[in-house]
């Protein structure tokens, strides 16, 4: 769904679940069936091309299955639930503490790599 340029410039953008999250939620909720990309897009009210991109990425992560024109949630329901649970946990932590401030993180990061990341071949 497009946003006005004023919303874009102000940063007051709509929040909510991402398209991949919506796709996983929809397919998980309807795990007894398989759907076309268009059917999924219509059901979650998103652009079919955006849904197609999300489906391809979710397939690469083994979260959805694809056969012909149809898509379904992975048979490994624990995998799908774990992926979504991890996102929920991260969001709750960010909500609780404000998330990671990347500028503060970079300001205190060491200049040298951790000893475990240094090239051991340089040692005699």
């Amino acid at each position: 769904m497009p946003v006005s340029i004023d919303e874009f410039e102000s940063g007051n953008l709509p929040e909510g679940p991402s398209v991949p999250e919506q796709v996983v939620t929809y397919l998980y909720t309807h795990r007894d069936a398989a759907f076309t990309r268009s059917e999924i897009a219509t059901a979650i009210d998103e652009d079919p091309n955006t849904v197609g991109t999300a489906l391809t990425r979710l397939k690469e992560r083994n979260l959805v299955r694809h056969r012909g024109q149809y898509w379904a949630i992975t048979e490994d329901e624990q995998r799908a639930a774990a992926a979504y649970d991890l996102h929920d946990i991260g969001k709750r932590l960010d909500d609780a503490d404000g998330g990671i401030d990347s500028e503060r993180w970079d300001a205190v990061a060491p200049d040298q790599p951790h000893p475990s990341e240094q090239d051991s071949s340089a040692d005699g």
Side-chain angles (χ1 to χ4, degrees):
M1 172 188 320
V3 296
S4 74
I5 198 65
D6 292 335
E7 290 173 306
F8 174 78
E9 294 296 340
S10 71
N12 291 329
L13 301 173
E15 291 188 27
S18 68
V19 172
E21 291 170 321
Q22 292 178 67
V23 169
V24 167
T25 300
Y26 181 77
L27 291 176
Y28 185 83
T29 303
H30 300 90
R31 57 189 170 270
D32 59 339
F35 302 89
T36 66
R37 175 187 70 153
S38 296
E39 290 169 334
I40 297 167
T42 299
I44 65 173
D45 195 25
E46 293 289 349
D47 179 83
N49 292 325
T50 305
V51 170
T53 300
L55 285 165
T56 299
R57 291 180 179 160
L58 291 167
K59 182 180 177 190
E60 290 170 0
R61 294 179 58 207
N62 297 319
L63 292 170
V64 298
R65 298 177 282 159
H66 180 232
R67 185 167 293 134
Q69 296 179 15
Y70 292 90
W71 297 85
I73 197 70
T74 179
E75 290 180 304
D76 185 351
E77 291 181 14
Q78 288 181 337
R79 181 176 180 80
Y84 197 71
D85 287 345
L86 182 60
H87 172 79
D88 283 348
I89 290 167
K91 181 157 179 21
R92 281 197 308 264
L93 289 172
D94 284 349
D95 289 347
D97 69 6
I100 294 173
D101 181 341
S102 60
E103 289 180 21
R104 282 186 52 210
W105 184 279
D106 289 341
V108 298
D111 293 331
Q112 300 297 318
H114 187 271
S116 66
E117 296 175 337
Q118 294 177 0
D119 185 8
S120 61
S121 64
D123 299 337

